[in-house]
Amino acid sequence: MHSISPQQRTIIESLAIGLDADEVAEDLSITELSVISNTQLLAILHAANACYRAGFPIIDDATYDHQYLAELQQRDPTHEFLSLVEPEVTTGKTVTLPQKMLSTDKAYSVTEIEKWVERIRKAAQEINVPESDIQIRITPKLDGYAAFDDGERLYTRGDGVRGQDITRAFTRGMAVAQHGMRGLGPGEIVISKSYFTQHLAEQFENSRNIQAAIIAEKNVEPAVKQAINEQACVFYPFSLLPNWTGSLDEVLSDFSALLEPIWDAVDYDIDGVILETTHPDIKTHMGATRHHHRWQIAFKVNDESAEVEVLNVTPQTSRTGRISPVAELVPTKLSGATISRATVHHYNMVKTNGVGPGAVVQLVRSGLVIPKIEKVLHAVTPQLPETCPSCGSHIIWEADHLICPNKTDCSAQTENTLVHFFKSLGNNDGFGPKVIEKLHQHDM
Ligand SMILES: [Zn+2]
């Protein structure tokens, strides 16, 4: 029989799906899906979805999609389960949210954004707001756990009207991002990507598991507790997000170039950008559907890939002394942006896969994340540096990486440490890389 953990058991038993946890486990062991009833099939889907959302997946994604969901699709293509938008499963009692939390309408093309801009224009005309008064704010779309902070309590989004009280996340020491105050309304619980990679990736499969742990009623694992203490897990109110603000014409003039800095603006998972008008009268006039605000839209990009020729591989020394290989590429359009460079994972990949001038690589841009080199299609003699590009020290291999052993007098290492330090302070008052480079040159 399929084995079930105590956590999964608790989740399944709270669902009221007509089957208990042992029955679900028994049904999961049936490999010939045609023999299971509709009730069993739906119970499995509900149970698998709930366990996944809570961070304790009972089956893997592929099995869920390609077997169980596909089976339902085949039996009843119009079944309402298939149209649910990632239903959030609540396992405890719910309370009415201080404010409705709606979903966001989505656009996958610039044409759809243009249409949305037209609707804003039309709404403004209808209430006599001059176009010069209209501002559009663009922010990263965080891919975390949606929540609402009214200053006293923190709530899950639930079904948008009723959610659960998860104030305990703050009681456990979770901070508000950007040293923000409590009570800033809607936001997301997120985990620093770099912290996850460095400290949590071995223990947790993905950041969803950690989000679940932060708000769980039971005790928090030490690793998660530490991530909270080190402010790697935070509540990020939308109002504090780094943003671009400008006119409708500016939005449309070079939309892709405009977005470039936004998807690198935060060290959290993002799955798009959000555009919204800031004018209160236009917002009121446009209003909302039952699903989303009409004055707001999310822009998402589908995966896209391209075959690109490498011009050069340039070494770059990081703060830790690791030398990162940066592939300079023949400029290529990918998901609307022109890509001319991409980081290769490490120098061992450069060496073993033959990345150098003339190599052809497959570049993939998934959503809005930084493009990465997926595979090498045509290998050449690799281009490997012998000395640190910053201080000229002889560099050495350490596992898959080339590193600069000069910890004390390598300016790339000290400068990047300062850049990182000021970035981690989260302020924006002029201590950018350029200023730091200057300070360093002047020995300050
Ligand atoms: Zn160096």
Side-chain angles (χ1 to χ4, degrees):
M1 203 168 87
H2 199 94
S3 73
I4 278 189
S5 73
Q7 291 98 330
Q8 290 166 339
R9 181 173 297 277
T10 313
I11 296 161
I12 295 170
E13 310 265 278
S14 72
L15 287 178
I17 46 175
L19 267 71
D20 67 23
D22 289 324
E23 287 169 320
V24 170
E26 209 170 296
D27 292 345
L28 278 171
S29 312
I30 302 171
T31 47
E32 181 48 57
L33 291 193
S34 61
V35 306
I36 66 174
S37 71
N38 286 348
T39 312
Q40 286 170 310
L41 179 60
L42 278 168
I44 289 173
L45 283 166
H46 279 291
N49 182 56
C51 290
Y52 167 77
R53 300 281 295 176
F56 302 101
I58 195 164
I59 47 176
D60 61 74
D61 288 3
T63 310
Y64 180 86
D65 286 346
H66 302 312
Q67 292 182 32
Y68 295 103
L69 211 54
E71 177 72 21
L72 180 62
Q73 183 97 47
Q74 205 190 357
R75 288 187 193 186
D76 183 1
T78 60
H79 195 282
E80 88 171 310
F81 186 91
L82 299 167
S83 64
L84 293 179
V85 190
E86 279 197 32
E88 184 180 301
V89 179
T90 46
T91 51
K93 73 175 171 71
T94 58
V95 288
T96 305
L97 297 174
Q99 215 179 78
K100 253 193 211 173
M101 287 182 78
L102 296 182
S103 193
T104 321
D105 198 15
K106 293 176 189 70
Y108 286 91
S109 69
V110 179
T111 315
E112 288 170 83
I113 294 296
E114 286 166 354
K115 283 184 185 153
W116 176 77
V117 165
E118 267 324 298
R119 295 199 286 277
I120 304 263
R121 275 208 175 103
K122 190 163 162 277
Q125 280 162 10
E126 282 164 6
I127 53 167
N128 294 317
V129 171
E131 182 155 335
S132 54
D133 283 5
I134 309 173
Q135 294 260 286
I136 301 296
R137 180 178 187 262
I138 308 182
T139 50
K141 183 176 187 295
L142 299 175
D143 184 17
Y145 196 96
F148 189 97
D149 176 19
D150 68 359
E152 272 182 46
R153 297 204 272 178
L154 183 69
Y155 309 84
T156 63
R157 182 165 82 174
D159 63 3
V161 178
R162 294 178 69 82
Q164 274 182 294
D165 185 338
I166 49 160
T167 313
R168 55 181 167 270
F170 279 129
T171 317
R172 284 171 179 153
M174 181 176 69
V176 177
Q178 303 289 354
H179 309 286
M181 296 177 307
R182 289 283 314 273
L184 292 176
E188 300 253 339
I189 297 173
V190 287
I191 293 132
S192 151
K193 277 195 291 189
S194 48
Y195 188 93
F196 181 84
T197 317
Q198 272 180 27
H199 303 282
L200 299 164
E202 273 175 31
Q203 198 181 335
F204 296 90
E205 201 176 318
N206 55 48
S207 47
R208 285 229 180 269
N209 302 131
I210 299 167
Q211 287 151 14
I214 296 167
I215 62 166
E217 280 177 63
K218 273 169 295 179
N219 288 338
V220 179
E221 283 120 311
V224 174
K225 180 75 189 139
Q226 194 176 347
I228 292 174
N229 290 344
E230 295 184 20
Q231 303 200 359
C233 302
V234 292
F235 175 70
Y236 211 134
F238 295 142
S239 59
L240 297 182
L241 280 168
N243 63 84
W244 174 94
T245 306
S247 69
L248 293 178
D249 283 340
E250 284 174 292
V251 169
L252 297 182
S253 66
D254 195 351
F255 188 60
S256 329
L258 188 74
L259 299 190
E260 276 295 303
I262 298 172
W263 49 73
D264 292 336
V266 289
D267 177 32
Y268 303 106
D269 287 331
I270 70 167
D271 61 352
V273 297
I274 301 239
L275 290 85
E276 62 190 33
T277 176
T278 55
H279 200 291
D281 298 345
I282 299 177
K283 283 162 87 164
T284 312
H285 184 61
M286 292 182 84
T289 68
R290 278 175 59 187
H291 175 263
H292 61 265
H293 296 289
R294 292 196 182 89
W295 44 268
Q296 189 182 55
I297 197 161
F299 178 71
K300 302 182 110 184
V301 184
N302 290 319
D303 285 15
E304 232 185 280
S305 72
E307 292 178 15
V308 190
E309 190 186 327
V310 175
L311 295 171
N312 230 324
V313 181
T314 314
Q316 219 170 60
T317 311
S318 76
R319 173 170 66 92
T320 56
R322 237 175 225 179
I323 320 281
S324 310
V326 179
E328 315 283 346
L329 308 162
V330 173
T332 306
K333 273 258 183 200
L334 199 58
S335 302
T338 304
I339 314 295
S340 52
R341 50 204 332 240
T343 311
V344 187
H345 289 300
H346 43 61
Y347 262 106
N348 191 32
M349 185 168 167
V350 171
K351 191 178 152 195
T352 49
N353 292 295
V355 188
V360 177
V361 295
Q362 188 187 36
L363 199 62
V364 175
R365 182 169 205 174
S366 173
L368 294 173
V369 297
I370 311 158
K372 61 176 185 192
I373 291 173
E374 201 79 336
K375 56 181 164 206
V376 179
L377 303 167
H378 170 67
V380 295
T381 313
Q383 210 177 16
L384 300 169
E386 277 168 11
T387 55
C388 170
S390 169
C391 69
S393 300
H394 184 76
I395 51 184
I396 52 172
W397 283 100
E398 201 178 82
D400 286 337
H401 302 273
L402 276 173
I403 61 157
C404 167
N406 180 3
K407 295 284 170 213
T408 50
D409 198 24
C410 175
S411 61
Q413 297 189 48
T414 39
E415 272 168 24
N416 288 337
T417 302
L418 284 172
V419 172
H420 177 82
F421 173 70
F422 284 109
K423 251 193 194 163
S424 70
L425 289 181
N427 60 15
N428 242 336
D429 40 15
F431 272 101
K434 285 271 164 331
V435 175
I436 288 161
E437 202 184 316
K438 276 215 182 87
L439 286 175
H440 196 257
Q441 279 162 3
H442 291 89
D443 240 356
M444 289 167 83

